[in-house]
Amino acid sequence: MTADKDALRTAAERALIEQYEAAKPGDAVAALRERAFAGFGERGLPHRRVEEWKYTDLRRGMSEALPIAEMPAADEAKAAVEAVAGFGDMAGTRIVFVNGLFAPELSKLQAVEGLIITSLAAALAEGAPEGLGDLAASVTDTALDLNTAFMRDGALITVADGATIEEPVEIMHVAAGEPAATYTRHVVRVGAGASVRFTEVYSGKGAYQTNTAIEFSAADKAQVVWSKLQNEDHQAQHLSTFVSQLEAEVNFDHFVFNAGSHLARTQAFLRFNGEYSKAGLRGAMLIGEDQHSDVTLVVDHAVPNCESREYFKSAIDGKASGVFQGRINVFQHAQKTDGQMMCQALLLSDGAEMAYKPELEIFADDVQCAHGATSGQIDEDLLFYLRARGIPEAEARTLLILAFLSEVIEEIGDEAVVDVLEERTRTWLGY
């Protein structure tokens, strides 16, 4: 059987196996890596017959496995970081990773009371970091398995109980140099009663491959806002996994702005572990030409009295294809659950496509859950209304698209982030 399986592997799968065997790390988490890679060896790259990846055939889309990236020359790394617009200068603390490796000299690090940041690579040199792999163990997924097997660096971030971090903490990822693959893993823990905002940026040049994963936990009564800007090069591949667990009375808002990559998969797994918590998973997708972007969300209501909101909007042009898969699981004892899901797309060309797969699995009887999905073209009546008032057709179309996307962007609630993302939207629209 093993011989038959090996014969059926793709060139990328064989290359990944060779890379792992050649550079098998003997660090404190070697057993964790081994288990993860065994999962990949058993399943291979996901394809259309894997239900969770039905609309994103990674086996076909990932034609080769690039070598693992190394840190470029100092001047090249500096130039690449300076070229990234990101969220501007709003961050009080910025943790920069170039080609998946921590770059302290390019980071913006300062002493902030209640905030502790450590490099994953530095922590691995001393032993197994606390919490690494704990949340990821609850998810069976090939992209996450590969991240666990190959992870080299990342940030271990702890926000102390009761701390209020006034300025955002930014995690910036930049790719530079020859095409290569990066694997970053971040573990973020927010203490009880703490308040913090995170921004996350991905950018680069060339046909590189990004595989990133975040394990995030929030203790009782934490307040967290997380904004992600995925603006990878249009030749790049972006795979990201966000695994989160919320304790009681947490307010958590997560927003994803997807505009980059040739092939992108953004997946989030969220579990309510304490009562009276609220979570918003929202985002905007702006793609064109031959881009493919997949957003997959799984929310587990494992306890009563929690509220979740999933709200995504997309603008799709050219021959691009978008995917939204949302799943809300309500456990048997999770009474008084309120889970709502909505996804809407504007198809800006005849070749644009959008696939939806919203799901509810409910085992409790006292709940409020619903899902909806719409797709269509620009409303011709609204377009006529604007043109009748002297606005040229191209500008009128742009204004309608911007208004459509701004509706979800403005739900972030952070004015500075909203301004940045709306400006990004205008740039994408050529406005």
Side-chain angles (χ1 to χ4, degrees), residues 1-21 36-47 49 58-60 62-65 142 146:
M1 284 294 287
T2 303
D4 292 341
K5 185 178 291 186
D6 290 342
L8 295 173
R9 295 193 193 279
T10 66
E13 290 170 336
R14 290 194 296 271
L16 286 167
I17 292 171
E18 290 172 4
Q19 287 177 12
Y20 182 75
E21 293 298 332
F37 199 75
F40 163 74
E42 180 63 29
R43 295 185 300 273
L45 292 172
H47 46 80
R49 291 192 298 277
L58 189 60
R59 179 173 290 178
R60 182 178 179 181
M62 187 175 172
S63 59
E64 61 177 332
T142 298
L146 286 173

Side-chain angles (χ1 to χ4, degrees), residues 173-175 182 202-206 208-212 229-239 259-262 291:
H173 308 78
V174 182
T182 65
Y202 293 86
S203 186
K205 295 291 184 183
Y208 55 91
Q209 296 172 343
T210 297
N211 185 325
T212 184
L229 171 59
Q230 190 273 104
N231 196 38
E232 306 267 35
D233 192 284
H234 280 206
Q235 302 175 72
Q237 173 186 289
H238 179 89
L239 304 177
S261 304
H262 179 260
Q291 289 178 272

Side-chain angles (χ1 to χ4, degrees), residues 263-286:
L263 184 154
R265 163 91 169 197
T266 300
Q267 51 188 16
F269 303 86
L270 184 146
R271 178 185 175 93
F272 288 100
N273 215 41
E275 294 188 48
Y276 300 103
S277 286
K278 297 181 180 181
L281 301 176
R282 302 179 178 89
M285 182 192 301
L286 290 72

Side-chain angles (χ1 to χ4, degrees), residues 45-99:
L45 292 172
H47 46 80
R48 290 186 179 275
R49 291 192 298 277
V50 177
E51 186 63 27
E52 295 81 4
W53 289 74
K54 180 178 179 180
Y55 300 104
T56 301
D57 190 339
L58 189 60
R59 179 173 290 178
R60 182 178 179 181
M62 187 175 172
S63 59
E64 61 177 332
L66 296 175
I68 297 175
E70 298 295 342
M71 182 67 79
D75 56 345
E76 187 176 5
K78 183 179 180 182
V81 171
E82 289 176 345
V84 178
F87 287 97
D89 295 323
M90 71 178 71
T93 299
R94 177 175 293 120
I95 315 157
V96 175
F97 294 87
V98 179
N99 288 356

Side-chain angles (χ1 to χ4, degrees), residues 378 382-383 386-387 391-401:
I378 291 175
L382 291 176
L383 186 61
L386 293 177
R387 293 188 66 194
I391 300 175
E393 182 176 355
E395 185 177 349
R397 288 183 179 276
T398 298
L399 288 172
L400 290 173
I401 298 166

